[in-house]
């Protein structure tokens, strides 16, 4: 497997890196403090094509693959995981349409994303996180379509989304085979999006509860076949987890960069702390984890682009990157010592941003369940 980047891949990676350094990093601390997503930054990212990497060219996108998405996502997340995840998360909603949408639906909805609209992937519920099949949102047949009722929580970009891809039970007796996906327009009667949730980290990424009270959805907004929702969700996770792994890669690399720079300047016992083996080993371990997670993310993405199964590789990449990010952020605070606990330096934000990587898109425990299952199947 060749991990040498093409000229085009290096170009888009460097474009994302320049944008992240010049436009995101100067805004990151304020956006985090204010719990605000800077929409002007999103518009600039759109103009550069950084928010439509995997959208098909005939829908107005860049027509690139999962590998390019991973390259871009790492750079955006290196600058700010809150802003970076909000800019990247449209790719999660887009995957639903790429996996199961009809050509007409792809042109309709993906075209809107290519023009700068946001969309949300609305699956998680208060009583259904890791147990996806336990969702309770209902969709009942009515004349000309369906009527949805229920609630969702922790829905990324919901406060700014133009439409939401909502998973609901069309046949509650059929367990996971009774789940269906619907494209629900923002502003639909009966649809209410709550205020952005207060969060420990990734505060610049708007996240909210979503409430549906007899929301009508026409038949042409059903994505895939009725009852295929669970299978669609599982396919989407395989394709989106390399991107989420790249969130972790970017954060680990940022922890290393900040820690190395500080360790060269901070002195104890008459020399820079980087010369103390206890600190040097932490930096070496960060480098090892960053490189390992990066290569695993590349591998999982390359398999997506080749049209090959990647369930095990995607879960390994996601778990290694998420756990590595939490470890690296913890150690970065330790390298900074007392100053790591201060908002004067960025590592306390990295620490707060890292934790949820072990929770969303499948917890680290769920990833291990998947990996074990795949090993048994093999």
């Amino acid at each position: 497997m060749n991990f040498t980047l093409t000229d085009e891949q290096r170009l888009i990676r460097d474009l994302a890196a320049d944008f992240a350094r010049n436009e995101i990093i100067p805004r990151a601390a304020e956006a985090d403090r204010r719990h605000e997503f800077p929409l002007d930054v999103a518009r600039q990212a759109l103009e550069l094509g950084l928010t439509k990497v995997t959208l098909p060219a005939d829908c107005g996108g860049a027509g690139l693959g999962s590998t390019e998405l991973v390259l871009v996502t790492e750079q955006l997340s290196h600058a700010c995981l809150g802003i970076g995840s909000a800019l990247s998360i449209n790719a999660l909603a887009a995957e639903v349409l790429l996996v199961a949408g009809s050509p007409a639906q792809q042109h309709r909805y993906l075209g809107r994303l290519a023009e700068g609209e946001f969309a949300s992937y609305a699956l998680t519920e208060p009583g259904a996180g890791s147990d996806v099949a336990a969702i309770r949102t209902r969709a009942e047949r009515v004349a000309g379509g369906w009527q949805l009722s229920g609630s969702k929580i922790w829905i990324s970009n919901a406060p700014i989304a133009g439409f939401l891809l909502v998973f609901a039970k069309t046949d509650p007796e059929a367990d996971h085979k009774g789940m269906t996906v619907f494209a629900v327009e923002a502003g639909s009667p009966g649809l209410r999006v709550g205020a952005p949730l207060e969060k420990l980290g990734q505060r610049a990424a708007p996240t909210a509860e979503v409430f549906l009270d007899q929301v009508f959805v026409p038949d042409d907004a059903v994505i895939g076949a009725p009852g295929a929702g669970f299978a669609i969700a599982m396919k989407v996770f395989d394709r989106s987890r390399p991107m989420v792994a790249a969130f972790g890669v970017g954060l680990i690399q940022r922890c290393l960069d900040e820690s190395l720079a500080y360790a060269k300047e901070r002195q104890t016992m008459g020399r820079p702390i980087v010369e103390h083996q206890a600190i040097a080993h932490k930096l070496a371990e960060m480098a090892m984890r960053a490189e390992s997670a990066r290569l695993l993310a590349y591998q999982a993405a390359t398999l997506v682009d080749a049209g090959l199964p990647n369930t095990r590789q995607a879960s390994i990449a996601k778990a290694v990157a998420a756990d590595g990010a939490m470890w690296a952020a913890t150690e970065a605070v330790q390298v900074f010592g007392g100053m790591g606990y201060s908002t004067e330096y960025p590592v306390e934000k990295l620490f707060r941003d890292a934790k949820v990587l072990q929770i969303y898109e499948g917890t680290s425990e769920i990833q291990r369940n998947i990996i074990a299952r795949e090993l048994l199947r093999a």
Side-chain angles (χ1 to χ4, degrees):
M1 188 174 290
N2 183 6
F3 288 117
T4 302
L5 301 182
T6 66
D7 290 342
E8 183 181 29
Q9 288 171 336
R10 283 194 294 271
L11 183 63
I12 192 169
R13 179 200 62 189
D14 294 346
L15 176 67
D18 288 343
F19 176 78
R21 181 172 54 254
N22 296 325
E23 304 300 335
I24 297 181
I25 287 180
R27 305 285 294 279
E30 180 185 5
D32 178 76
R33 281 194 300 270
R34 297 172 64 89
H35 294 244
E36 288 182 358
F37 177 52
L39 289 172
D40 59 318
V41 172
R43 287 191 292 271
Q44 293 175 63
L46 175 70
E47 291 172 2
L48 294 173
L50 299 176
T51 60
K52 49 185 177 180
V53 174
T54 57
L55 300 181
D58 61 358
C59 295
L64 300 174
S66 182
T67 303
E68 288 79 15
L69 178 62
V70 162
L71 294 170
V72 168
T73 300
E74 177 188 341
Q75 300 305 321
L76 301 181
S77 302
H78 179 274
C80 175
L81 193 49
I83 296 173
S85 64
L87 290 173
S88 303
I89 210 70
N90 264 4
L92 175 59
E95 288 295 346
V96 176
L97 294 151
L98 292 170
V99 164
S102 67
Q105 289 172 331
Q106 290 180 359
H107 278 84
R108 182 193 318 164
Y109 296 111
L110 297 180
R112 290 165 62 179
L113 297 183
E115 292 174 357
E117 203 165 328
F118 288 93
S120 288
Y121 182 86
L123 176 59
T124 302
E125 297 185 1
S130 296
D131 185 5
V132 172
I135 67 168
R136 301 183 65 180
T137 297
R138 289 288 309 275
E140 297 183 347
R141 227 14 181 133
V142 296
W146 301 80
Q147 201 169 70
L148 276 60
S149 293
S151 65
K152 303 289 181 179
I153 195 168
W154 299 117
I155 305 306
S156 298
N157 286 355
I160 56 175
F163 64 93
L164 302 91
L165 295 166
V166 177
F167 289 75
K169 284 286 185 71
T170 46
D171 184 357
E173 305 302 318
D175 195 37
H176 67 280
K177 293 184 179 180
M179 190 185 303
T180 304
V181 190
F182 301 86
V184 180
E185 296 291 337
S188 295
L191 175 69
R192 181 170 67 86
V193 176
L197 295 167
E198 299 285 328
K199 305 192 298 294
L200 172 70
Q202 298 191 25
R203 293 174 174 174
T207 307
E209 292 180 276
V210 175
F211 305 93
L212 303 104
D213 182 11
Q214 298 184 339
V215 177
F216 176 75
V217 181
D219 282 325
D220 65 0
V222 176
I223 311 299
F230 184 85
I232 292 170
M234 295 305 104
K235 289 179 183 177
V236 167
F237 284 141
D238 286 348
R239 295 167 64 94
S240 65
R241 280 175 180 148
M243 175 188 72
V244 179
F247 291 167
V249 175
L251 192 137
I252 298 170
Q253 187 64 52
R254 181 69 182 276
C255 288
L256 173 57
D257 294 345
E258 295 290 344
S259 297
L260 179 59
Y262 184 78
K264 288 179 178 179
E265 295 179 359
R266 175 76 165 98
Q267 294 201 2
T268 63
M269 304 170 195
R271 54 179 174 159
I273 62 173
V274 72
E275 295 181 12
H276 296 300
Q277 189 180 69
I279 300 300
H281 280 189
K282 292 181 189 298
L283 300 175
E285 183 71 21
M286 285 184 200
M288 291 160 59
R289 296 196 185 212
E291 198 65 18
S292 298
R294 181 177 292 113
L295 292 174
L296 287 167
Y298 286 1
Q299 180 192 38
T302 299
L303 290 170
V304 172
D305 293 337
L308 297 173
N310 79 328
T311 301
R312 179 167 61 91
Q313 291 84 357
S315 286
I316 291 173
K318 198 274 183 181
V320 168
D323 292 349
M326 192 68 247
W327 178 90
T330 302
E331 292 303 306
V333 172
Q334 197 70 15
V335 169
F336 275 70
M339 299 312 297
Y341 209 66
S342 168
T343 57
E344 181 181 346
Y345 290 90
V347 290
E348 63 84 25
K349 176 180 179 298
L350 297 174
F351 182 88
R352 290 186 287 103
D353 286 348
K355 182 57 194 175
V356 76
L357 291 174
Q358 295 179 303
I359 298 171
Y360 64 23
E361 285 287 300
T363 65
S364 291
E365 291 78 11
I366 287 294
Q367 302 312 314
R368 285 165 170 78
N369 287 349
I370 294 170
I371 294 163
R373 182 194 68 204
E374 292 298 307
L375 290 174
L376 291 172
R377 282 183 179 176

